[in-house]
Amino acid sequence: MCGISGCIIKRGNVANILYSSLKRLEYRGYDSAGVSTIYQGQLLVKKDAGKIDEIHSRLNLLDLPGNIGIAHTRWATHGAPSQVNAHPHLDCTGSIAVVHNGVLENFLELKQELEARKHTFRSKTDTEVIVHLIEEYIKIGKKLTEAVLETTRKLRGSYAIAVIYAGEPDKIVVARNESPLVIGLAKDMNLVASDVAALIEYTNRVVFLENGDMATVTADTFQIIRIDTGIPVERKITELNWTLEMATKGGYPHFMLKEIFDQPNVLREALRIQEKYLDLLTEFLDRGRDVFLIASGTSYNACIVGSYMFSKLARLSAYPVVASEFIENYGSSIGVDTVILALSQSGETADVLTSLDYARYRAATIIGITNVLGSTLTRIARAYVLQNAGPEIGVAATKTFTSQLMVLALLALRLARKRGKVSQYEIDEFQDELRSIPQLVEKTLEISNEPIKKLSREAARFSSMFFLGRGISYATALEARLKVMELSYIPSIAYPAGESKHGPISVIEEGYPVFFIAPNDETRKYLIGNIMEMKARGARIYCVGSEGDEEVKQLSDWFLGLPTTHSLLSPVVYIIPFQLLAYYTSIERGYDPDKPRNLAKSVTVL
Ligand code: G6P
């Protein structure tokens, strides 16, 4: 997730406006940044790796004359954070500049075609293909708007782009598919940006572009057309009464809620992860004699989900281990045949890194999944996959958890193909279901939000609660418990439902709240037995189950039905109501869900 912005003004310079918009967008990514303006027919560019303030103190981003410009703050997905990979990217003639937020799926084939036609690529980014394509259309006499239109028709993937061209210094051309984009209308000045936070200082009159829209923006006009047909469309002007703080949170009261609702898009991005990285990890996983999945906190719960996926779909036994226990438990038995897949959102968790250091010393192979390019994990690992989830600001992991699950599912799918131990039908079925997950999560958010908000008023008064699930839903129970407990501070217990009769059941008394994760999968018939056991002892039963499951609904005091999905993907869908429960219960109890006490986003001590 990167941030883009642009500004065109009748008189004066835009550098200070672009600089302040960049600062407002910094929360979307902050490994490198850049600005480009047009002055006296020339394109000027300043860009570098680092935080915006560091870059500004080195390059003085305010010292860029020109009444038109674009800017970018980056969260690397293709290509390391570096000066050359920072946006804006320029064409071969140095007269067209583009900034981009998103991931292009077909950039490799486009790049090969462009290189064959003698274009020189400077960066390792997917973005650079866009500007070279535009250059080709300009060269054959097309105007900028038309050139961008033709170019976007060739792009597959997600993008929000803003383009300027020294030959037509009176306009910014923008286009979007999936990545957000908004136009801001001010007096003698128009702006474009990834989100309202970047514009709200200058105007509250905005136009939200829709997927497949493209717009040509001058200092006092804008025209929107559809990319597929080229036909102009009207979009309404919205007057917002947002504060700057609200704008940064996309209109949500907290980052956590924004990040929960961002999940459908984040999961779409995860589905675009490049196959070559997944294939590399798959190679290593397939070669290991012993395979471990290690992590801390929420990432550890993702490891448990991963171990079920790998085992059931690819017949690969992979053991999930809490990072802080790894050396004590397995340190003496690991060696050259061991493969360790480390999961860490930040890539900096000390418990994980210490285990990896130890394992490296024992010649084990280390591979990783992380959300932060350039993190220590990316430097230690032989190979890694980036989640592409964008920065997560809420301390409690939400979108990065579900995106980890998507990456694990993609790996399981590839492993299954490679190992060939389950039928082609099962593999195809899983792949189809995987593609539908972003949509199911969208639907689940819609279904869950109101009932969970209501339930949180009750939950806020609980002094303790249980979370139970069987099979892969045990991992969902663990993560549900972690979210609710860390944000509401209500001591809670999560257990495999089948194991609950071996001890925890003694806690149950009249009215004690027990939450069951009850998808309609192969564990359901046993889970019903566990529900009965708890009910018989007076527990109050809260079930999140499959839509239309009347039997489980009848057994429950409270029931929420969710869309049906593949059992191995159910955690991605079933965790959603519990993320919301954690959020709303924290609010009900008067706490700040973005900053739970005693916790840190990244724990760099042992
Ligand atoms: C901290 C955070 C958790 C996170 C864990 C692991 O405890 O508060 O939300 O799950 O670290 O973080 P990582 O960056 O390694 O995934």
Side-chain angles (χ1 to χ4, degrees), residues 295-300 343-349 352 392 395-397 400 404 482-483 486 599-603:
S296 306
T298 291
S299 298
Y300 168 68
L343 265 70
S344 175
Q345 184 282 129
S346 61
E348 300 295 351
T349 298
V352 176
E392 189 173 60
V395 165
T400 57
Q404 281 170 338
L482 180 59
K483 282 300 83 106
E486 69 183 341
L599 296 176
K601 185 77 191 153
S602 172
V603 181

PDB file of all heavy atoms in Angstrom, residues 295-300 343-349 352 392 395-397 400 404 482-483 486 599-603, ligand 1:
ATOM      1  N   ALA A 295       6.667 -18.560  14.919  1.00  0.00           N
ATOM      2  CA  ALA A 295       6.199 -17.168  14.985  1.00  0.00           C
ATOM      3  C   ALA A 295       5.766 -16.858  16.415  1.00  0.00           C
ATOM      4  O   ALA A 295       5.774 -17.745  17.283  1.00  0.00           O
ATOM      5  CB  ALA A 295       5.015 -16.967  14.046  1.00  0.00           C
ATOM      6  N   SER A 296       5.360 -15.611  16.623  1.00  0.00           N
ATOM      7  CA  SER A 296       4.835 -15.183  17.922  1.00  0.00           C
ATOM      8  C   SER A 296       3.460 -14.559  17.729  1.00  0.00           C
ATOM      9  O   SER A 296       3.139 -14.071  16.636  1.00  0.00           O
ATOM     10  CB  SER A 296       5.748 -14.103  18.533  1.00  0.00           C
ATOM     11  OG  SER A 296       7.068 -14.553  18.590  1.00  0.00           O
ATOM     12  N   GLY A 297       2.702 -14.524  18.809  1.00  0.00           N
ATOM     13  CA  GLY A 297       1.421 -13.804  18.827  1.00  0.00           C
ATOM     14  C   GLY A 297       0.476 -14.267  17.736  1.00  0.00           C
ATOM     15  O   GLY A 297       0.318 -15.456  17.476  1.00  0.00           O
ATOM     16  N   THR A 298      -0.131 -13.298  17.077  1.00  0.00           N
ATOM     17  CA  THR A 298      -1.086 -13.602  16.015  1.00  0.00           C
ATOM     18  C   THR A 298      -0.440 -14.407  14.892  1.00  0.00           C
ATOM     19  O   THR A 298      -1.065 -15.303  14.325  1.00  0.00           O
ATOM     20  CB  THR A 298      -1.659 -12.273  15.469  1.00  0.00           C
ATOM     21  OG1 THR A 298      -2.478 -11.713  16.490  1.00  0.00           O
ATOM     22  CG2 THR A 298      -2.467 -12.461  14.222  1.00  0.00           C
ATOM     23  N   SER A 299       0.802 -14.084  14.582  1.00  0.00           N
ATOM     24  CA  SER A 299       1.482 -14.817  13.503  1.00  0.00           C
ATOM     25  C   SER A 299       1.605 -16.297  13.848  1.00  0.00           C
ATOM     26  O   SER A 299       1.584 -17.160  12.967  1.00  0.00           O
ATOM     27  CB  SER A 299       2.872 -14.231  13.240  1.00  0.00           C
ATOM     28  OG  SER A 299       2.755 -12.899  12.832  1.00  0.00           O
ATOM     29  N   TYR A 300       1.726 -16.591  15.145  1.00  0.00           N
ATOM     30  CA  TYR A 300       1.780 -18.000  15.557  1.00  0.00           C
ATOM     31  C   TYR A 300       0.427 -18.675  15.264  1.00  0.00           C
ATOM     32  O   TYR A 300       0.383 -19.812  14.786  1.00  0.00           O
ATOM     33  CB  TYR A 300       2.138 -18.124  17.042  1.00  0.00           C
ATOM     34  CG  TYR A 300       1.918 -19.515  17.577  1.00  0.00           C
ATOM     35  CD1 TYR A 300       2.717 -20.587  17.146  1.00  0.00           C
ATOM     36  CD2 TYR A 300       0.888 -19.782  18.479  1.00  0.00           C
ATOM     37  CE1 TYR A 300       2.487 -21.877  17.599  1.00  0.00           C
ATOM     38  CE2 TYR A 300       0.663 -21.066  18.938  1.00  0.00           C
ATOM     39  CZ  TYR A 300       1.461 -22.109  18.497  1.00  0.00           C
ATOM     40  OH  TYR A 300       1.233 -23.391  18.946  1.00  0.00           O
ATOM     41  N   LEU A 343       7.029 -16.774  10.263  1.00  0.00           N
ATOM     42  CA  LEU A 343       6.006 -15.778   9.943  1.00  0.00           C
ATOM     43  C   LEU A 343       6.180 -14.608  10.885  1.00  0.00           C
ATOM     44  O   LEU A 343       6.174 -14.791  12.107  1.00  0.00           O
ATOM     45  CB  LEU A 343       4.593 -16.353  10.150  1.00  0.00           C
ATOM     46  CG  LEU A 343       3.913 -16.932   8.920  1.00  0.00           C
ATOM     47  CD1 LEU A 343       4.606 -18.219   8.500  1.00  0.00           C
ATOM     48  CD2 LEU A 343       2.451 -17.206   9.219  1.00  0.00           C
ATOM     49  N   SER A 344       6.329 -13.423  10.336  1.00  0.00           N
ATOM     50  CA  SER A 344       6.417 -12.250  11.198  1.00  0.00           C
ATOM     51  C   SER A 344       5.969 -11.034  10.397  1.00  0.00           C
ATOM     52  O   SER A 344       6.610 -10.682   9.399  1.00  0.00           O
ATOM     53  CB  SER A 344       7.848 -12.046  11.695  1.00  0.00           C
ATOM     54  OG  SER A 344       7.935 -10.860  12.433  1.00  0.00           O
ATOM     55  N   GLN A 345       4.872 -10.439  10.815  1.00  0.00           N
ATOM     56  CA  GLN A 345       4.353  -9.261  10.142  1.00  0.00           C
ATOM     57  C   GLN A 345       5.454  -8.217  10.015  1.00  0.00           C
ATOM     58  O   GLN A 345       5.738  -7.716   8.947  1.00  0.00           O
ATOM     59  CB  GLN A 345       3.159  -8.738  10.941  1.00  0.00           C
ATOM     60  CG  GLN A 345       2.402  -7.572  10.358  1.00  0.00           C
ATOM     61  CD  GLN A 345       3.069  -6.237  10.540  1.00  0.00           C
ATOM     62  OE1 GLN A 345       3.215  -5.506   9.564  1.00  0.00           O
ATOM     63  NE2 GLN A 345       3.498  -5.907  11.732  1.00  0.00           N
ATOM     64  N   SER A 346       6.086  -7.910  11.156  1.00  0.00           N
ATOM     65  CA  SER A 346       7.095  -6.850  11.178  1.00  0.00           C
ATOM     66  C   SER A 346       8.438  -7.328  10.647  1.00  0.00           C
ATOM     67  O   SER A 346       9.262  -6.532  10.210  1.00  0.00           O
ATOM     68  CB  SER A 346       7.297  -6.370  12.611  1.00  0.00           C
ATOM     69  OG  SER A 346       7.754  -7.451  13.418  1.00  0.00           O
ATOM     70  N   GLY A 347       8.680  -8.619  10.741  1.00  0.00           N
ATOM     71  CA  GLY A 347       9.995  -9.159  10.381  1.00  0.00           C
ATOM     72  C   GLY A 347      11.056  -8.801  11.399  1.00  0.00           C
ATOM     73  O   GLY A 347      12.250  -8.964  11.135  1.00  0.00           O
ATOM     74  N   GLU A 348      10.634  -8.314  12.577  1.00  0.00           N
ATOM     75  CA  GLU A 348      11.603  -7.835  13.563  1.00  0.00           C
ATOM     76  C   GLU A 348      11.413  -8.437  14.954  1.00  0.00           C
ATOM     77  O   GLU A 348      12.102  -8.040  15.886  1.00  0.00           O
ATOM     78  CB  GLU A 348      11.517  -6.299  13.707  1.00  0.00           C
ATOM     79  CG  GLU A 348      11.784  -5.501  12.438  1.00  0.00           C
ATOM     80  CD  GLU A 348      13.215  -5.639  11.919  1.00  0.00           C
ATOM     81  OE1 GLU A 348      14.065  -6.220  12.614  1.00  0.00           O
ATOM     82  OE2 GLU A 348      13.455  -5.191  10.778  1.00  0.00           O
ATOM     83  N   THR A 349      10.490  -9.360  15.121  1.00  0.00           N
ATOM     84  CA  THR A 349      10.226  -9.893  16.461  1.00  0.00           C
ATOM     85  C   THR A 349      11.437 -10.661  16.986  1.00  0.00           C
ATOM     86  O   THR A 349      11.910 -11.616  16.350  1.00  0.00           O
ATOM     87  CB  THR A 349       8.961 -10.788  16.423  1.00  0.00           C
ATOM     88  OG1 THR A 349       7.883  -9.949  16.022  1.00  0.00           O
ATOM     89  CG2 THR A 349       8.661 -11.407  17.766  1.00  0.00           C
ATOM     90  N   VAL A 352      11.486 -14.478  17.303  1.00  0.00           N
ATOM     91  CA  VAL A 352      11.594 -15.167  16.003  1.00  0.00           C
ATOM     92  C   VAL A 352      13.037 -15.093  15.499  1.00  0.00           C
ATOM     93  O   VAL A 352      13.633 -16.103  15.116  1.00  0.00           O
ATOM     94  CB  VAL A 352      10.640 -14.524  14.962  1.00  0.00           C
ATOM     95  CG1 VAL A 352      10.812 -15.154  13.586  1.00  0.00           C
ATOM     96  CG2 VAL A 352       9.191 -14.627  15.430  1.00  0.00           C
ATOM     97  N   GLU A 392       0.287  -1.678   8.999  1.00  0.00           N
ATOM     98  CA  GLU A 392      -0.825  -1.874   9.939  1.00  0.00           C
ATOM     99  C   GLU A 392      -0.516  -1.017  11.158  1.00  0.00           C
ATOM    100  O   GLU A 392       0.544  -1.151  11.762  1.00  0.00           O
ATOM    101  CB  GLU A 392      -0.899  -3.346  10.321  1.00  0.00           C
ATOM    102  CG  GLU A 392      -2.121  -3.723  11.112  1.00  0.00           C
ATOM    103  CD  GLU A 392      -2.183  -5.237  11.278  1.00  0.00           C
ATOM    104  OE1 GLU A 392      -1.235  -5.801  11.870  1.00  0.00           O
ATOM    105  OE2 GLU A 392      -3.141  -5.837  10.806  1.00  0.00           O
ATOM    106  N   VAL A 395      -2.348  -1.764  16.978  1.00  0.00           N
ATOM    107  CA  VAL A 395      -1.381  -2.718  17.554  1.00  0.00           C
ATOM    108  C   VAL A 395      -1.847  -4.158  17.348  1.00  0.00           C
ATOM    109  O   VAL A 395      -1.060  -5.050  17.052  1.00  0.00           O
ATOM    110  CB  VAL A 395      -1.130  -2.393  19.055  1.00  0.00           C
ATOM    111  CG1 VAL A 395      -0.437  -3.551  19.755  1.00  0.00           C
ATOM    112  CG2 VAL A 395      -0.275  -1.135  19.175  1.00  0.00           C
ATOM    113  N   ALA A 396      -3.142  -4.394  17.499  1.00  0.00           N
ATOM    114  CA  ALA A 396      -3.651  -5.750  17.317  1.00  0.00           C
ATOM    115  C   ALA A 396      -3.679  -6.086  15.823  1.00  0.00           C
ATOM    116  O   ALA A 396      -4.244  -5.343  15.026  1.00  0.00           O
ATOM    117  CB  ALA A 396      -5.051  -5.858  17.899  1.00  0.00           C
ATOM    118  N   ALA A 397      -3.058  -7.194  15.464  1.00  0.00           N
ATOM    119  CA  ALA A 397      -3.000  -7.572  14.045  1.00  0.00           C
ATOM    120  C   ALA A 397      -4.372  -8.035  13.570  1.00  0.00           C
ATOM    121  O   ALA A 397      -5.019  -8.857  14.210  1.00  0.00           O
ATOM    122  CB  ALA A 397      -1.979  -8.690  13.866  1.00  0.00           C
ATOM    123  N   THR A 400      -3.254  -8.081   8.670  1.00  0.00           N
ATOM    124  CA  THR A 400      -2.027  -8.833   8.369  1.00  0.00           C
ATOM    125  C   THR A 400      -2.194 -10.302   8.735  1.00  0.00           C
ATOM    126  O   THR A 400      -1.521 -11.163   8.166  1.00  0.00           O
ATOM    127  CB  THR A 400      -0.794  -8.242   9.079  1.00  0.00           C
ATOM    128  OG1 THR A 400      -1.040  -8.215  10.487  1.00  0.00           O
ATOM    129  CG2 THR A 400      -0.490  -6.842   8.586  1.00  0.00           C
ATOM    130  N   GLN A 404      -1.760 -13.167   5.981  1.00  0.00           N
ATOM    131  CA  GLN A 404      -0.836 -14.301   6.197  1.00  0.00           C
ATOM    132  C   GLN A 404      -1.531 -15.611   5.828  1.00  0.00           C
ATOM    133  O   GLN A 404      -0.948 -16.493   5.197  1.00  0.00           O
ATOM    134  CB  GLN A 404      -0.427 -14.379   7.675  1.00  0.00           C
ATOM    135  CG  GLN A 404       0.649 -13.391   8.078  1.00  0.00           C
ATOM    136  CD  GLN A 404       0.854 -13.336   9.589  1.00  0.00           C
ATOM    137  OE1 GLN A 404      -0.022 -13.710  10.372  1.00  0.00           O
ATOM    138  NE2 GLN A 404       2.011 -12.860  10.005  1.00  0.00           N
ATOM    139  N   LEU A 482      -7.289 -14.326  21.551  1.00  0.00           N
ATOM    140  CA  LEU A 482      -6.192 -13.362  21.648  1.00  0.00           C
ATOM    141  C   LEU A 482      -6.696 -11.943  21.374  1.00  0.00           C
ATOM    142  O   LEU A 482      -6.401 -11.004  22.120  1.00  0.00           O
ATOM    143  CB  LEU A 482      -5.080 -13.741  20.661  1.00  0.00           C
ATOM    144  CG  LEU A 482      -3.849 -12.848  20.611  1.00  0.00           C
ATOM    145  CD1 LEU A 482      -3.164 -12.776  21.969  1.00  0.00           C
ATOM    146  CD2 LEU A 482      -2.851 -13.325  19.571  1.00  0.00           C
ATOM    147  N   LYS A 483      -7.479 -11.795  20.296  1.00  0.00           N
ATOM    148  CA  LYS A 483      -7.986 -10.453  19.953  1.00  0.00           C
ATOM    149  C   LYS A 483      -8.847  -9.897  21.072  1.00  0.00           C
ATOM    150  O   LYS A 483      -8.655  -8.778  21.523  1.00  0.00           O
ATOM    151  CB  LYS A 483      -8.848 -10.476  18.676  1.00  0.00           C
ATOM    152  CG  LYS A 483      -8.213 -10.537  17.321  1.00  0.00           C
ATOM    153  CD  LYS A 483      -7.296  -9.432  16.962  1.00  0.00           C
ATOM    154  CE  LYS A 483      -5.923  -9.652  17.506  1.00  0.00           C
ATOM    155  NZ  LYS A 483      -4.847 -10.021  16.726  1.00  0.00           N
ATOM    156  N   GLU A 486      -6.749  -9.270  24.375  1.00  0.00           N
ATOM    157  CA  GLU A 486      -5.733  -8.209  24.372  1.00  0.00           C
ATOM    158  C   GLU A 486      -6.356  -6.815  24.258  1.00  0.00           C
ATOM    159  O   GLU A 486      -5.742  -5.833  24.651  1.00  0.00           O
ATOM    160  CB  GLU A 486      -4.661  -8.435  23.302  1.00  0.00           C
ATOM    161  CG  GLU A 486      -5.105  -8.285  21.873  1.00  0.00           C
ATOM    162  CD  GLU A 486      -4.002  -8.590  20.860  1.00  0.00           C
ATOM    163  OE1 GLU A 486      -2.817  -8.576  21.217  1.00  0.00           O
ATOM    164  OE2 GLU A 486      -4.339  -8.844  19.690  1.00  0.00           O
ATOM    165  N   LEU A 599       1.144  -3.462  25.491  1.00  0.00           N
ATOM    166  CA  LEU A 599       1.523  -4.176  24.260  1.00  0.00           C
ATOM    167  C   LEU A 599       2.251  -3.258  23.296  1.00  0.00           C
ATOM    168  O   LEU A 599       2.067  -2.043  23.331  1.00  0.00           O
ATOM    169  CB  LEU A 599       0.275  -4.732  23.557  1.00  0.00           C
ATOM    170  CG  LEU A 599      -0.521  -5.781  24.319  1.00  0.00           C
ATOM    171  CD1 LEU A 599      -1.773  -6.156  23.538  1.00  0.00           C
ATOM    172  CD2 LEU A 599       0.326  -7.022  24.558  1.00  0.00           C
ATOM    173  N   ALA A 600       3.051  -3.853  22.432  1.00  0.00           N
ATOM    174  CA  ALA A 600       3.723  -3.074  21.386  1.00  0.00           C
ATOM    175  C   ALA A 600       3.483  -3.753  20.052  1.00  0.00           C
ATOM    176  O   ALA A 600       3.267  -4.967  19.996  1.00  0.00           O
ATOM    177  CB  ALA A 600       5.209  -3.015  21.666  1.00  0.00           C
ATOM    178  N   LYS A 601       3.505  -2.973  19.009  1.00  0.00           N
ATOM    179  CA  LYS A 601       3.283  -3.529  17.666  1.00  0.00           C
ATOM    180  C   LYS A 601       4.392  -4.522  17.311  1.00  0.00           C
ATOM    181  O   LYS A 601       4.156  -5.552  16.714  1.00  0.00           O
ATOM    182  CB  LYS A 601       3.237  -2.389  16.649  1.00  0.00           C
ATOM    183  CG  LYS A 601       2.891  -2.821  15.248  1.00  0.00           C
ATOM    184  CD  LYS A 601       1.413  -3.095  15.132  1.00  0.00           C
ATOM    185  CE  LYS A 601       1.042  -3.770  13.834  1.00  0.00           C
ATOM    186  NZ  LYS A 601      -0.181  -4.565  13.973  1.00  0.00           N
ATOM    187  N   SER A 602       5.598  -4.134  17.653  1.00  0.00           N
ATOM    188  CA  SER A 602       6.714  -5.007  17.311  1.00  0.00           C
ATOM    189  C   SER A 602       7.565  -5.166  18.566  1.00  0.00           C
ATOM    190  O   SER A 602       8.009  -4.174  19.142  1.00  0.00           O
ATOM    191  CB  SER A 602       7.492  -4.359  16.167  1.00  0.00           C
ATOM    192  OG  SER A 602       8.657  -5.057  15.930  1.00  0.00           O
ATOM    193  N   VAL A 603       7.778  -6.401  19.000  1.00  0.00           N
ATOM    194  CA  VAL A 603       8.489  -6.633  20.263  1.00  0.00           C
ATOM    195  C   VAL A 603       9.904  -7.095  19.951  1.00  0.00           C
ATOM    196  O   VAL A 603      10.119  -8.213  19.492  1.00  0.00           O
ATOM    197  CB  VAL A 603       7.738  -7.668  21.137  1.00  0.00           C
ATOM    198  CG1 VAL A 603       8.470  -7.875  22.458  1.00  0.00           C
ATOM    199  CG2 VAL A 603       6.313  -7.193  21.394  1.00  0.00           C
TER     200      VAL A 603
HETATM  201  C1  G6P B   1       3.485  -8.364  19.240  1.00  0.00           C
HETATM  202  C2  G6P B   1       2.199  -7.759  18.713  1.00  0.00           C
HETATM  203  C3  G6P B   1       1.284  -8.847  18.138  1.00  0.00           C
HETATM  204  C4  G6P B   1       2.035  -9.656  17.086  1.00  0.00           C
HETATM  205  C5  G6P B   1       3.328 -10.233  17.649  1.00  0.00           C
HETATM  206  C6  G6P B   1       4.178 -10.855  16.564  1.00  0.00           C
HETATM  207  O1  G6P B   1       3.214  -9.129  20.368  1.00  0.00           O
HETATM  208  O2  G6P B   1       1.526  -7.067  19.730  1.00  0.00           O
HETATM  209  O3  G6P B   1       0.144  -8.256  17.543  1.00  0.00           O
HETATM  210  O4  G6P B   1       1.210 -10.682  16.614  1.00  0.00           O
HETATM  211  O5  G6P B   1       4.109  -9.188  18.236  1.00  0.00           O
HETATM  212  O6  G6P B   1       4.546  -9.861  15.672  1.00  0.00           O
HETATM  213  P1  G6P B   1       5.135 -10.132  14.229  1.00  0.00           P
HETATM  214  O7  G6P B   1       5.508  -8.788  13.716  1.00  0.00           O
HETATM  215  O8  G6P B   1       6.342 -11.023  14.423  1.00  0.00           O
HETATM  216  O9  G6P B   1       4.081 -10.821  13.448  1.00  0.00           O
END
